[in-house]
């Protein structure tokens, strides 16, 4: 990894189907980020098991996610691409950081409260400890930059607090990370309820466009997207949430500014507008899906990418973990 570049860390859980919101907010930017940063990209399967998973499906989705990373343009020669559970240092550092994290902080986390409400039958300690594991993910690699959506800001702040708390208790050990916030498409909303974020675990799948959706499904979902009675295509998130959401999607997939998109559909109805959004999304997803399937057909290659990534990640992680163990007084041989 180049010493002149800052280190950037990002991870995605291999659960459910990823949406175009995940693509716009995260995956789309990774190809360019790796040119400017030392990037570390993880399939965060340890986070995934805070909610019960089908083991066979989790394995398959982990492989599919690694293939998707590569299909989106991540180069395993330029970036570290790995599976979180392949680097035991994540769990080890999480345990040490637990002793610098307060129960009240975890109980106040929005995601913990939301997931506890949705999974009342399984409010486990992993669900509460999720932000500490995320802090370990970031801090293990002396990460300087973390791309975050608006809903992840709270997790980054906890990671920063834990790092500063540890540094103050001993001496500078962790780099305190900074957030990198996307300028466009920071929040893609549900097509049927624009007040909510588009989610891969939404109750109604018609509100989300998944990266695995075929062309007809993509166009059908976007044709049914909620708009308003005005029939005017303009960006106004407060008064025209549905139309503004579609403009954001069109801008992100079509490579145009919001203003250019508004001019393009000036005087046109919502029917033409929604069809155009559906077509531009479907046109972008088709080659992505084809490349992911091509990669999945070469399991040996994907395994080699994961093995190499884990070895490179482990080397960096062990260096940090050894430093932490020395600070807290663990005897090492």
């Amino acid at each position: 990894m180049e010493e002149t570049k800052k280190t950037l860390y990002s991870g995605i859980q291999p659960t459910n189907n990823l949406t175009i919101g995940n693509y716009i907010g995260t995956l789309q930017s990774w190809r360019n980020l790796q040119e400017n940063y030392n990037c570390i990209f993880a399939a965060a399967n340890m986070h995934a098991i805070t909610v019960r998973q089908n083991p066979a499906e989790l394995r398959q989705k982990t492989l599919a996610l690694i293939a998707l990373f590569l299909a989106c343009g991540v180069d395993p020669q330029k970036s570290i691409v790995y599976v979180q559970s392949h680097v035991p240092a994540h769990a080890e550092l999480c345990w040490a950081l637990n002793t610098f994290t307060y129960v009240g902080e975890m109980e106040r986390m929005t995601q913990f409260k939301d997931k506890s409400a949705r999974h009342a039958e399984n409010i486990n300690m992993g669900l509460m400890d999720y932000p500490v594991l995320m802090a370990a993910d970031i801090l293990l690699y002396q990460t300087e930059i973390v791309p975050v959506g608006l809903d992840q800001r709270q997790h980054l702040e906890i990671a920063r607090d834990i790092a500063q708390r540890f540094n103050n208790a001993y001496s500078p050990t962790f780099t305190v990370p900074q957030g990198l916030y996307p300028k466009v498409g920071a929040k893609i909303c549900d097509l049927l309820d624009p007040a909510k974020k588009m989610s891969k675990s939404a109750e109604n799948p018609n509100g989300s466009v998944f990266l695995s959706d075929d062309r007809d499904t993509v166009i059908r979902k976007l044709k049914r997207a909620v708009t308003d009675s005005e029939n005017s295509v303009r960006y106004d998130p407060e008064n025209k949430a549905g139309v503004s959401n579609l403009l954001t999607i069109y801008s992100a997939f079509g490579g145009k500014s919001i203003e250019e998109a508004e001019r393009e559909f000036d005087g046109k109805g919502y029917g033409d507008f929604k069809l155009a959004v559906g077509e531009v999304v479907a046109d972008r997803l088709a080659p992505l899906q084809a490349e992911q399937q091509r990669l999945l057909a070469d399991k040996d290659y994907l395994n080699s990418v994961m093995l190499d990534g884990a070895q490179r990640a482990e080397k960096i992680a062990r260096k940090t973990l050894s430093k932490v163990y020395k600070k807290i007084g663990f005897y090492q041989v």
Side-chain angles (χ1 to χ4, degrees):
M1 302 185 84
E2 295 182 33
E3 293 184 9
T4 55
K5 292 182 179 179
K6 291 184 177 180
T7 297
L8 179 147
Y9 186 92
S10 191
I12 296 177
Q13 290 189 48
T15 55
N16 299 316
N17 288 318
L18 295 181
T19 71
I20 59 171
N22 300 118
Y23 179 74
I24 293 171
T26 305
L27 287 165
Q28 182 178 231
S29 65
W30 283 8
R31 178 199 293 267
N32 293 329
L33 287 173
Q34 68 184 352
E35 302 301 329
N36 301 312
Y37 299 97
N38 287 321
C39 291
I40 304 172
F41 298 126
N45 61 337
M46 292 170 68
H47 286 288
I49 62 169
T50 58
V51 176
R52 292 286 177 263
Q53 303 292 334
N54 177 297
E57 286 183 5
L58 181 59
R59 283 189 286 271
Q60 187 278 325
K61 287 178 178 178
T62 300
L63 191 67
L65 184 59
I66 295 295
L68 181 62
F69 288 177
L70 304 186
C72 287
V74 173
D75 183 344
Q77 299 301 314
K78 295 179 180 178
S79 304
I80 292 177
V81 180
Y82 76 109
V83 177
Q84 185 185 26
S85 65
H86 292 172
V87 181
H90 285 262
E92 294 179 68
L93 181 60
C94 178
W95 180 250
L97 296 183
N98 277 331
T99 65
F100 290 85
T101 310
Y102 305 121
V103 173
E105 291 177 312
M106 297 298 96
E107 290 176 332
R108 290 192 294 272
M109 296 296 290
T110 302
Q111 189 177 69
F112 172 68
K113 291 188 283 189
D114 289 348
K115 283 198 171 182
S116 295
R118 291 204 307 270
H119 303 279
E121 77 291 347
N122 182 28
I123 304 175
N124 58 73
M125 284 307 300
L127 200 60
M128 178 179 280
D129 208 34
Y130 184 106
V132 187
L133 178 57
M134 185 178 286
D137 299 339
I138 296 166
L139 301 179
L140 263 179
Y141 302 98
Q142 302 299 337
T143 302
E144 293 154 290
I145 303 294
V146 182
V148 283
L150 298 177
D151 60 327
Q152 292 292 325
R153 196 183 296 255
Q154 194 180 30
H155 284 116
L156 178 61
E157 288 306 314
I158 280 290
R160 286 170 51 82
D161 289 345
I162 293 171
Q164 290 168 336
R165 201 172 289 157
F166 190 98
N167 290 347
N168 291 338
Y170 298 101
S171 58
T173 306
F174 296 118
T175 299
V176 180
Q178 302 292 324
L180 179 65
Y181 300 94
K183 295 176 182 178
V184 178
K187 183 178 181 182
I188 301 302
C189 300
D190 189 283
L191 299 179
L192 303 180
D193 184 359
K196 297 179 180 177
K197 177 186 174 185
M198 186 179 285
S199 172
K200 58 182 182 177
S201 56
E203 291 182 11
N204 188 340
N206 289 315
S208 300
V209 177
F210 300 108
L211 297 185
S212 57
D213 284 343
D214 61 34
R215 185 179 187 84
D216 289 344
T217 302
V218 170
I219 292 174
R220 173 180 56 79
K221 287 181 177 180
L222 282 156
K223 277 184 175 179
R224 295 179 179 177
V226 168
T227 48
D228 52 53
S229 59
E230 195 177 289
N231 213 33
S232 171
V233 180
R234 60 185 173 82
Y235 190 76
D236 182 354
E238 189 172 332
N239 299 305
K240 296 171 70 66
V243 173
S244 299
N245 187 43
L246 292 176
L247 275 167
T248 299
I249 294 170
Y250 187 76
S251 171
F253 277 90
K256 300 179 181 180
S257 68
I258 296 290
E259 292 76 16
E260 287 173 330
E262 286 177 320
R263 288 195 295 272
E264 183 179 343
F265 295 101
D266 185 30
K268 294 184 180 179
Y270 286 162
D272 290 339
F273 172 51
K274 290 196 280 188
L275 176 60
V277 178
E279 288 180 337
V280 77
V281 172
D283 287 346
R284 177 72 74 86
L285 293 187
L288 192 69
Q289 293 166 349
E291 178 63 6
Q292 183 187 28
Q293 290 307 309
R294 186 191 71 78
L295 288 161
L296 282 170
D298 191 350
K299 191 175 178 180
D300 287 343
Y301 172 67
L302 291 177
N303 284 341
S304 71
V305 168
M306 289 184 284
L307 180 61
D308 178 67
Q311 290 173 341
R312 291 163 65 196
E314 177 74 16
K315 186 176 180 180
I316 301 169
R318 275 294 141 193
K319 189 175 179 181
T320 297
L321 191 65
S322 178
K323 191 184 299 184
V324 169
Y325 280 178
K326 182 177 180 181
K327 296 283 179 75
I328 63 178
F330 281 5
Y331 189 87
Q332 301 177 80
V333 293

